[in-house]
């Protein structure tokens, strides 16, 4: 009976139990088959019969659905892993479908993801008791809200309700959905609905298989699996970008891709989108990775000087290494915000006396140096009385005092280009303009808050630099005078290494004007420094020409002269400081370490530096004597090249820039020629009240000595890196065939971000280049909402003239107008 009862009971359960076994075996067989197909599938197959418009609509819808999670989370604190998984799941599903339906129409595979809903039951595996249950997919959605598979389900079930929710959230964030594109997308979805049902069945089975594996493995292993598919996912996304029409949906899709990376540093903020940006150039006027810079320096962000991640790792700061350039590995592509209250800069020459406070809202220097007439806060203005530590009663009196002390200096005739070391707010250089003298003023970004920024806002030439471990970015023997007013530079230490760097850039026969406390004060420290300096300058063969005291200011100046021959060097009893090796090029200055040695003076009459240039202004137009034996940049004899270049720019400036482009030159003061050759562009602007920073790129012919020989100035720079200046420095940037050269070495997107950074609001950019490059720069300018003033093309050569607007985007506007 016991056996009978057992048999009867067992027989009762038999049919249900067998059914369960059949289902389990069937499902297990399906899982094994799907797994085998998935493991053998590497590259998803694409249907070449799909039209480009259908593909575009499909990708746009996929992007919209994949973003639903992001826009539903109003706090904006979605974990980075969740964002990454959202993007990877879609591509993973595409791969699963390709493997499972290898013999089916692949249009069904591609459109299966975007079906409006899956009405079929979905098999799920629960790892707790290994039971398999069949539930309706809509009921599962509520239970899986907090699971890791939510992004996948949302991608599978992109129905009307979700589409409306995403659209509403986008509008709440400030983005507008293009209605025509939405309609096309809905039409494409409804046409393929029947095909996508079958595809969703296979997707459900694939998901069930994947969930089984996830339950059997550790959660971290799942994340690893997702990250392994990330590269292929990005490649598919980048390929799809090329067929995107302009529209907010395509922008938001790429925004999600970009946000997959970390946003903590400027160095890597565009790394994930670098390839995508490059492929989309000239396809979409808004397809560039602009976003606001996330830096502690805020509106004063200087990428190569504010790279604190690198600076904090420096082993030493003894030689001011922390003030030198430390550029990010990846040049940033962010836009620097404008300070609150920023206004159009005061025009020259009024700007020499006052600037708007909110343009440079820093008061520390006014508080510390106000009693010395450096700078004062006066209402809405920062005012500059024209004084300084060494010339409290005005810079003009001090300038005249120097010439009276040594008439051979002859401001504006013999002495035209000078280097002002430790310039403060550059009042000395600002007032030298009245004597026809150009001063290259420089100082580090240090505790004297914004001193160089004050100078630039005033319309005075200045740059950020420090005499630390590397040479200054100037060629050798180019400055007529080097000036240092109370600069606390320890010239005498470490074998005079820093003073020897001034010796390198000072022209033979040029003067070093040193007006510092050791010259005229008798404190023990000053006496010791003067003694050390006297011994050092004597061993360098510098001739002390005069020491004189200014009774009005209560200061004194010592003026030294560099020798014009090597006789003194050869007569020294000791070779200290040593002469540099013959192989040491004094013109090599880009990232070259400082050395405590002296270069010999040229003795050949055909060498540069053998004789003094023509007096100003003759030197501007006359080819230097030492060009006679050389070949010019454009292939002719150098003197002919020089003259032809000058005539060319005189014609261009007079016929186009001054009269034909509608530029208000009264609002232009600070100009940069981003690729100066002979300096012809700057020379053609001689009659205007402007100054031009002539930049010779490091990969261009080294013509910078020619520019200095004509009484102009400039520096070397690599435009694949950021420039050493504050944001909003220049009123006009001029780029003649620069960008086509840069395209061979680096990405143009960060270059344009740098152009935006250093150009003032309402500043102008003039680009001359081939038509392809002109198109790219125009497209980027539009994406930054610059005003296109003129586009001209002839024989594959073009000219682009654009104006930077006062507009600076908010985060919401960036989502609307640019791909992040």
């Amino acid at each position: 009976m016991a056996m009978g009862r057992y048999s009867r009971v067992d027989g009762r359960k038999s049919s249900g139990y067998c059914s369960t076994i059949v289902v389990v075996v069937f499902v297990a067989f399906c899982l094994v088959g799907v797994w085998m197909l998935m493991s053998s599938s590497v590259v998803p197959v694409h249907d070449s019969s799909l039209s480009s418009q259908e593909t575009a609509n499909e990708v746009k819808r996929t992007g919209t659905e994949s973003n639903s999670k992001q826009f539903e989370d109003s706090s904006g604190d979605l974990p980075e892993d969740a964002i990454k998984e959202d993007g990877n799941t879609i591509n993973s599903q595409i791969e699963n479908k390709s493997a499972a339906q290898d013999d089916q129409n692949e249009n069904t595979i591609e459109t299966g993801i975007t079906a409006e809903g899956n009405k079929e039951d979905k098999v799920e595996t629960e790892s707790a008791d290994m039971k398999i249950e069949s539930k309706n997919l809509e009921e599962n959605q509520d239970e899986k809200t907090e699971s890791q598979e939510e992004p996948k389900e949302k991608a599978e079930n992109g129905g009307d309700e979700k589409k409306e929710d995403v659209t509403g959230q986008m509008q709440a964030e400030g983005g507008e959905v293009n209605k025509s594109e939405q309609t096309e997308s809905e039409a494409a979805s409804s046409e393929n609905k029947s095909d996508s049902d079958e595809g969703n069945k296979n997707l459900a089975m694939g998901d069930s298989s994947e969930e089984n594996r996830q339950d059997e493995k550790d959660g971290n292993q799942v994340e690893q699996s997702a990250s392994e598919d990330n590269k292929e996912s990005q490649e598919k996304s980048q390929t799809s970008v090329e067929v995107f029409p302009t529209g907010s949906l395509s922008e938001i899709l790429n925004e999600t891709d970009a946000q997959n990376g970390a946003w903590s540093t400027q160095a890597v903020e565009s790394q994930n989108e670098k390839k995508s940006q490059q492929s989309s150039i000239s396809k979409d006027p808004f397809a560039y990775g602009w976003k606001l810079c996330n830096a502690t320096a805020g509106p004063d962000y200087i990428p190569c000087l504010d790279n604190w991640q690198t600076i904090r790792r420096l082993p030493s700061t003894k030689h001011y290494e922390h003030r030198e350039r430390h550029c990010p590995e990846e040049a940033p592509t962010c836009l620097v915000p404008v300070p609150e209250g920023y206004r159009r800069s005061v025009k020259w020459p009024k700007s020499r006396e006052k600037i708007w406070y909110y343009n440079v809202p820093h008061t520390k220097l006014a508080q510390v140096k106000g009693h010395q007439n450096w700078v004062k806060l006066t209402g809405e203005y920062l005012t500059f009385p024209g004084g300084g530590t060494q010339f409290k009663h005005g810079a003009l009196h001090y300038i005249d005092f120097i010439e009276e002390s040594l008439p051979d200096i002859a401001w504006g005739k013999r002495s035209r280009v000078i280097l002002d070391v430790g310039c403060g707010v550059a009042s000395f250089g600002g007032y030298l303009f009245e004597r026809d003298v150009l001063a290259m003023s420089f100082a580090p970004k240090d505790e004297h808050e914004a001193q160089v920024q004050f100078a630039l806002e005033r319309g005075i030439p200045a740059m950020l630099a420090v005499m630390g471990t590397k040479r200054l970015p100037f060629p050798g023997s180019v400055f007529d005078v080097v000036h240092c007013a109370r600069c606390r530079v320890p010239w005498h230490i470490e074998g005079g290494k820093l003073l020897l760097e001034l010796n390198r850039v000072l022209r033979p026969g040029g003067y070093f004007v040193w007006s510092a406390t050791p010259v005229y004060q008798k404190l023990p420290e000053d006496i010791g420094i003067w003694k050390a300096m006297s011994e050092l300058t004597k061993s360098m063969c510098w001739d002390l020409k005069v020491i004189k005291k200014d009774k009005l200011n209560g200061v004194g100046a010592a003026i030294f002269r560099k020798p014009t021959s090597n006789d003194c060097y050869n007569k020294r009893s000791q070779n200290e400081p040593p002469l540099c090796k013959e192989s040491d090029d004094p013109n090599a200055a880009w990232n070259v370490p400082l050395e405590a040695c002296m270069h010999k003076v040229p003795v050949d009459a055909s060498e540069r530096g053998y004789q003094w240039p023509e007096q100003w202004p003759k030197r501007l137009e006359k080819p230097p004597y030492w060009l006679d034996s050389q070949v010019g940049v454009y292939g002719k004899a150098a003197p002919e090249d020089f003259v032809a270049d000058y005539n060319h720019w005189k014609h261009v400036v007079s016929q186009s820039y001054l009269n034909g482009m509608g530029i208000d030159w009264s609002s232009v003061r600070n100009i940069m020629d981003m690729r100066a050759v002979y300096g012809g562009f700057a020379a053609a602007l001689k009659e205007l009240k402007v100054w031009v920073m002539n930049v010779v790129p490091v990969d261009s012919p080294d013509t910078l000595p020619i520019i200095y020989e004509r009484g102009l100035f400039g520096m070397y720079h690599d435009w694949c890196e950021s420039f050493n200046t504050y944001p909003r420095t220049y009123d006009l940037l001029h780029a003649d065939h620069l960008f086509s050269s840069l395209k061979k070495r680096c990405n143009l997107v960060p270059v344009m971000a740098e152009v935006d950074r250093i150009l003032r609001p309402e500043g102008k950019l003039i680009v001359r280049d081939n038509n392809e490059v002109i198109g790219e720069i125009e497209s980027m300018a539009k994406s930054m909402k610059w005003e296109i003033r003129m586009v001209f093309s002839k024989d594959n050569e073009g000219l682009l003239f654009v104006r930077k607007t006062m507009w600076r985007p908010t985060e919401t506007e960036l989502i609307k107008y640019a791909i992040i």
Side-chain angles (χ1 to χ4, degrees):
M1 290 295 292
M3 288 298 294
R5 282 196 303 271
Y6 183 80
S7 297
R8 183 170 56 82
V9 173
D10 186 58
R12 238 170 174 178
K13 295 177 61 179
S14 167
S15 67
Y17 185 72
C18 289
S19 299
T20 303
I21 290 176
V22 170
V23 171
V24 170
V25 170
F26 175 74
V27 171
F29 179 79
C30 291
L31 295 178
V32 172
V34 171
W35 176 78
M36 292 177 64
L37 289 172
M38 286 175 61
S39 62
S40 64
S41 176
V42 177
V43 181
V45 184
H46 297 276
D47 185 7
S48 59
S49 65
L50 277 175
S51 69
S52 62
Q53 183 60 44
E54 291 173 342
T55 305
N57 290 336
E58 173 199 337
V59 175
K60 286 195 301 179
R61 286 179 53 80
T62 304
T64 306
E65 292 161 2
S66 70
N67 275 276
S68 61
K69 171 68 176 175
Q70 178 183 354
F71 282 91
E72 286 171 1
D73 186 359
S74 59
S75 67
D77 294 329
L78 189 66
E80 183 179 339
D81 291 343
I83 301 175
K84 289 186 177 180
E85 186 175 345
D86 187 48
N88 294 335
T89 303
I90 297 172
N91 289 282
S92 176
Q93 292 169 354
I94 295 174
E95 293 173 12
N96 293 345
K97 288 192 301 176
S98 299
Q101 301 184 14
D102 199 37
D103 58 343
Q104 294 185 9
N105 184 289
E106 301 187 2
N107 187 30
T108 303
I109 297 176
E110 292 292 326
T111 57
I113 301 175
T114 58
E116 292 186 0
N118 183 1
K119 307 292 184 178
E120 301 294 332
D121 292 339
K122 181 178 179 181
V123 179
E124 283 193 340
T125 302
E126 298 181 0
S127 60
D129 52 8
M130 298 299 294
K131 293 173 62 178
I132 302 176
E133 297 178 358
S134 176
K135 293 186 178 181
N136 186 280
L137 187 59
E138 294 178 357
E139 296 175 356
N140 284 342
Q141 283 182 348
D142 294 335
E143 296 177 4
K144 294 176 67 65
T145 300
E146 297 179 4
S147 72
Q148 291 183 349
E149 296 300 315
E150 182 184 84
K152 186 182 298 183
E153 289 191 3
K154 289 190 176 182
E156 294 173 17
N157 297 282
D160 292 336
E161 292 180 5
K162 293 189 176 183
K163 183 162 57 181
E164 290 172 3
D165 183 54
V166 172
T167 304
Q169 292 291 343
M170 285 191 299
Q171 290 174 347
E173 291 291 331
E176 297 180 0
V177 179
N178 188 301
K179 293 184 179 179
S180 62
E181 292 176 350
Q182 186 177 356
T183 303
E184 291 173 5
S185 182
E186 291 173 355
S189 176
S190 60
E191 288 173 4
N192 295 311
K193 182 177 180 182
S194 59
D195 292 333
S196 63
D197 286 340
E198 185 177 354
N200 280 333
K201 290 180 183 179
N202 290 324
L203 280 176
M205 295 298 293
D207 291 342
S208 176
S209 172
E210 187 175 352
E211 288 171 6
N212 270 330
R213 292 197 305 275
Q214 288 174 347
D215 289 334
E216 294 171 358
K217 296 181 180 180
D218 185 79
N220 292 333
Q221 204 168 2
V222 177
E223 292 179 4
Q224 271 188 347
S225 175
S227 65
E228 287 173 359
D229 296 332
N230 195 31
K231 290 184 180 179
E232 188 170 356
S233 170
Q234 289 180 351
E235 291 174 1
K236 290 172 66 60
S237 175
Q238 290 162 8
T239 304
S240 302
V241 168
E242 296 180 358
V243 297
F244 281 175
T246 303
S248 57
L249 290 180
S250 62
E251 292 164 4
I252 293 172
L253 173 63
N254 282 269
E255 171 199 338
T256 303
D257 291 342
Q259 289 178 351
N260 286 346
W263 197 67
S264 58
T265 64
Q266 296 301 325
V268 298
E269 64 181 5
S270 63
Q271 187 173 2
N272 291 340
E273 284 299 304
K274 186 175 181 181
K275 292 181 181 179
S276 177
Q277 291 167 352
Q278 189 66 28
S279 66
S280 64
I281 286 179
S282 74
K283 300 287 184 181
D284 183 347
F286 299 121
Y288 298 98
W290 315 125
K291 56 182 169 184
L292 296 182
C293 292
N294 179 27
T296 56
D300 296 337
Y301 176 49
I302 305 170
C304 294
L305 297 184
D306 294 324
N307 185 8
W308 289 104
Q309 286 189 338
T310 299
I311 293 172
R312 290 190 184 101
R313 294 196 298 265
L314 292 174
S316 171
T317 59
K318 179 182 178 182
H319 296 97
Y320 286 82
E321 293 90 341
H322 58 301
R323 307 295 187 193
E324 294 181 323
R325 289 171 59 84
H326 300 283
C327 297
E329 291 182 6
E330 291 289 335
T333 61
C334 59
L335 304 181
V336 176
V338 172
E340 254 186 74
Y342 184 89
R343 303 175 65 169
R344 182 181 300 157
S345 299
V346 178
K347 294 182 180 180
W348 182 268
K350 290 183 178 180
S351 61
R352 187 170 59 183
E353 280 74 39
K354 63 180 182 180
I355 61 175
W356 293 111
Y357 163 74
Y358 285 106
N359 288 15
V360 191
H362 302 292
T363 58
K364 181 178 178 180
L365 201 60
Q367 295 166 3
V368 175
K369 298 290 184 179
H371 66 288
Q372 297 176 348
N373 280 348
W374 278 34
V375 56
K376 294 183 177 181
L377 181 60
T378 308
E380 291 186 300
Y381 295 98
L382 289 164
T383 57
F384 303 87
T389 308
Q390 295 298 98
F391 37 93
K392 298 178 184 178
H393 296 280
L396 281 175
H397 171 79
Y398 175 77
I399 291 168
D400 292 336
F401 157 72
I402 292 174
E403 190 170 27
E404 290 168 3
S405 301
L406 187 64
D408 287 348
I409 282 186
W411 295 127
K413 295 178 182 178
R414 184 184 189 272
S415 299
R416 163 65 181 175
V417 186
I418 77 168
L419 180 66
D420 187 18
V421 182
C423 61
V425 295
S427 291
F428 178 66
Y431 283 89
L432 276 171
F433 279 106
E434 297 188 11
R435 303 291 188 267
D436 272 340
V437 176
L438 279 179
M440 174 72 80
S441 301
F442 79 90
K445 185 181 181 182
D446 58 11
E447 62 276 2
H448 283 167
E449 187 181 38
Q451 54 184 339
V452 169
Q453 193 175 17
F454 286 140
L456 292 166
E457 183 67 19
R458 297 173 70 186
I460 302 172
M463 59 174 286
L464 286 163
V466 64
M467 301 188 69
T469 65
K470 298 177 182 178
R471 288 179 176 177
L472 296 169
F474 314 122
S477 302
V478 290
F479 288 102
D480 304 332
V481 175
V482 176
H483 171 259
C484 175
R486 203 182 178 110
C487 53
R488 297 185 177 275
V489 180
W491 302 115
H492 57 289
I493 67 172
E494 297 186 346
K497 182 182 291 188
L498 300 183
L499 195 63
L500 291 169
E501 172 63 4
L502 295 189
N503 185 75
R504 180 185 72 86
V505 300
L506 185 61
R507 191 183 299 278
Y511 296 103
F512 174 59
V513 180
W514 188 40
S515 62
T517 55
V519 176
Y520 58 88
Q521 289 187 0
K522 302 302 180 183
L523 298 175
E525 181 184 6
D526 292 323
I527 293 173
I529 294 175
W530 173 255
K531 182 178 179 181
M533 275 289 286
S534 297
E535 293 175 358
L536 175 61
T537 53
K538 186 177 181 180
S539 65
M540 292 171 58
C541 296
W542 282 13
D543 182 19
L544 177 58
K545 301 298 293 185
V546 65
I547 300 177
K548 192 170 182 180
K549 189 168 183 178
D550 177 13
K551 295 180 180 179
L552 179 62
N553 285 311
V555 302
I559 304 177
F560 302 86
R561 185 174 185 262
K562 180 178 176 178
T564 57
S565 73
N566 296 313
D567 295 342
C568 175
Y569 298 150
N570 298 329
K571 293 178 181 177
R572 292 184 304 166
S573 58
Q574 294 182 342
N575 189 30
E576 290 293 336
L579 293 175
C580 297
K581 298 177 182 178
E582 293 292 337
S583 60
D584 191 320
D585 183 2
N587 298 314
W590 187 249
N591 291 330
V592 176
L594 286 178
E595 287 193 40
C597 66
M598 295 185 299
H599 295 89
K600 287 186 176 181
V601 172
V603 294
D604 190 333
S606 63
E607 288 186 82
R608 180 174 66 86
Y610 178 78
Q611 67 185 51
W612 200 263
E614 295 279 348
Q615 287 197 350
W616 179 263
K618 289 183 180 180
R619 64 192 285 183
L620 181 71
E621 302 182 2
K622 186 176 180 181
Y625 67 92
W626 43 270
L627 285 182
D628 289 343
S629 59
Q630 301 184 31
V631 177
V633 172
Y634 304 114
K636 301 178 182 179
E640 296 178 26
D641 250 15
F642 179 96
V643 173
D645 179 81
Y646 185 35
N647 290 334
H648 163 74
W649 286 114
K650 283 194 297 184
H651 176 78
V652 169
V653 168
S654 62
Q655 299 300 315
S656 298
Y657 294 174
L658 295 183
N659 300 313
M661 299 176 68
I663 298 176
D664 177 13
W665 286 93
S666 67
S667 64
V668 176
R669 172 63 181 173
N670 304 354
I671 300 177
M672 175 187 284
D673 191 355
M674 300 177 69
R675 182 182 172 269
V677 181
Y678 295 118
F681 169 66
L685 297 174
K686 171 182 173 291
E687 300 302 325
L688 299 182
K689 301 296 183 181
V690 299
W691 63 272
V692 181
M693 176 69 80
N694 294 281
V695 177
V696 173
V698 293
D699 62 333
S700 296
D702 186 7
T703 54
L704 194 51
I706 301 174
I707 292 171
Y708 276 93
E709 197 79 1
R710 2 180 18 172
L712 306 171
F713 61 18
M715 60 181 290
Y716 299 112
H717 182 61
D718 184 353
W719 282 113
C720 293
E721 301 177 356
S722 292
F723 194 77
N724 256 31
T725 191
Y726 283 92
R728 304 171 301 279
T729 290
Y730 292 96
D731 302 304
L732 188 147
L733 300 179
H734 183 258
D736 180 37
H737 289 80
L738 169 71
F739 294 106
S740 55
S741 173
L742 286 176
K743 277 191 68 174
K744 302 173 184 177
R745 300 195 302 116
C746 51
N747 191 346
L748 291 185
V749 174
V751 177
M752 275 299 289
E754 179 64 6
V755 168
D756 177 86
R757 189 183 72 86
I758 67 177
L759 192 61
R760 286 176 174 172
E762 299 190 349
K764 289 86 177 172
L765 170 66
I766 300 175
V767 180
R768 303 170 68 90
D769 222 305
N770 63 59
N771 287 339
E772 180 183 356
V773 169
I774 291 294
E776 294 179 20
I777 303 303
E778 180 186 6
S779 183
M780 282 187 270
K782 287 180 179 178
S783 72
M784 293 186 290
K785 295 188 70 66
W786 288 13
E787 179 186 347
I788 308 300
R789 287 289 188 90
M790 178 183 295
V791 182
F792 176 79
S793 176
K794 182 179 180 181
D795 300 330
N796 198 35
E797 292 293 315
L799 180 144
L800 173 67
F801 172 40
V802 294
R803 173 180 170 270
K804 178 179 175 180
T805 60
M806 278 283 193
W807 175 83
R808 177 53 73 239
T810 63
E811 291 293 349
T812 301
E813 288 173 319
L814 280 167
I815 292 174
K816 181 177 179 181
Y817 290 110
I819 291 178
I820 298 180

